[in-house]
Amino acid sequence: MTEILGILNVTPDSFSDGGRWEKLDDAVRHAARMHEAGARWIDVGGESTRPGAVAIDPAEEQARVIPVVRALTDAGIPVSIDTRNAETARAAVAAGATMINDVSGGLYDPHMAYAAAESGVHFVVMHWRGGVDVEPSYIDVVSEVRTELRARVAELVVIGVPQEKIVIDPGLGFAKTAEHNWELLRRLDELTPLAPVLVGASRKRFIGRLLPANAPLGKRDAPTATISALAARSGAWGVRVHDVAATRLALDVWEHWESGGRVDRS
């Protein structure tokens, strides 16, 4: 069964929901709703990685995320921490997080790989060439992303991150054009032999290009759910989304299709 990570941005400036979940009670209520709707993990982030975003101090990031991580853990809700900073990752794991999701794959902070190795939790390693503002340049995007992710996974294993704890993410939208994103999705099955694959397409700009100009971001949820089902069909381990209910329904349809209606979630 494909896992769902529900996105919880406790930031003032994230591209989709910045400012909506800055208050602790609001964040916890929203996370609980996503968990009830089918999210296996709540992916808590305190720093925006949208185009043009400014990096913040890890202390400020931790002030945003650690109270949320603790509250969700106390409520029995599994938590993933979305961070590039090793200090924040360590603090979040100490507060109960069971997954580290690093958009830089441990390349932004040289201490992150060691933090992941010491923690023993799952580590999501995204393909990274320096962020969303880097100019895309590929001859064959899928082959190059596969090669670079394979090398990164090998480096992490040498450092001490358990192979079975590593999840890879092709990094849709990060130093990639819309065409690169679609090609990675079309050939996703070329990445799945490397490690479990997490797909993070939710509400991204390349999806917005399918819709009328100035369509609200929520209109991107239906195509995101479709991508989630197709990613599952291609072997994705998980999907990271804003609208958990829509994605859970799309995955339910795919699972019933595949099993002829014989779905067992026991």
Side-chain angles (χ1 to χ4, degrees):
M1 184 173 70
T2 302
E3 305 286 5
I4 299 175
L5 276 68
I7 298 170
L8 181 62
N9 292 316
V10 287
T11 60
D13 57 346
S14 291
F15 82 95
S16 173
D17 53 0
R20 292 192 65 187
W21 317 116
E22 286 186 279
K23 294 181 179 178
L24 178 60
D25 289 347
D26 292 341
V28 171
R29 277 194 293 269
H30 181 56
R33 287 194 294 268
M34 289 194 289
H35 184 58
E36 290 167 6
R40 173 69 177 83
W41 277 276
I42 303 301
D43 195 40
V44 180
E47 179 185 45
S48 174
T49 53
R50 63 173 174 78
V54 177
I56 63 171
D57 187 271
E60 181 178 354
E61 181 186 28
Q62 290 164 46
R64 295 174 180 177
V65 301
I66 299 305
V68 178
V69 173
R70 286 201 185 100
L72 295 182
T73 299
D74 289 346
I77 298 175
V79 175
S80 165
I81 181 67
D82 176 8
T83 183
R84 303 179 297 175
N85 295 303
E87 291 178 29
T88 302
R90 287 192 174 100
V93 170
T98 55
M99 180 182 294
I100 300 167
N101 180 13
D102 182 354
V103 298
S104 79
L107 294 171
Y108 177 81
D109 183 336
H111 301 289
M112 178 63 90
Y114 298 96
E118 293 160 9
S119 72
V121 303
H122 288 86
F123 187 34
V124 180
V125 180
M126 200 189 80
H127 177 259
W128 172 263
R129 283 190 175 182
V132 293
D133 296 317
V134 172
E135 188 68 25
S137 177
Y138 301 91
I139 296 173
D140 180 337
V141 66
V142 179
S143 295
E144 291 174 55
V145 167
R146 184 178 63 237
T147 297
E148 290 169 30
L149 281 172
R150 181 188 292 116
R152 187 62 187 141
V153 168
E155 291 167 355
L156 292 168
V157 170
V158 169
I159 287 171
V161 181
Q163 176 86 49
E164 65 274 14
K165 294 292 187 178
I166 296 175
V167 176
I168 58 173
D169 180 336
L172 303 178
F174 286 79
K176 297 173 186 73
T177 64
E179 290 73 21
H180 292 145
N181 295 333
W182 288 117
E183 185 68 4
L184 282 162
L185 289 169
R186 185 177 75 86
R187 296 165 57 190
L188 195 66
D189 60 351
E190 296 181 33
L191 301 179
T192 55
L194 296 180
V197 174
L198 176 67
V199 172
S202 189
R203 296 183 180 175
K204 288 189 174 176
R205 186 181 302 174
F206 76 100
I207 294 175
R209 291 174 58 173
L210 300 173
L211 302 169
N214 301 318
L217 285 170
K219 292 293 185 181
R220 302 180 186 182
D221 289 336
T224 295
T226 303
I227 288 171
S228 295
L230 292 171
R233 187 177 185 182
S234 295
W237 166 87
V239 291
R240 180 180 181 273
V241 300
H242 295 85
D243 187 338
V244 172
T247 288
R248 181 66 267 164
L249 183 57
L251 291 175
D252 284 347
V253 170
W254 172 76
E255 289 169 10
H256 280 76
W257 179 300
E258 286 292 294
S259 69
R262 297 179 296 277
V263 176
D264 181 7
R265 295 205 179 92
S266 59

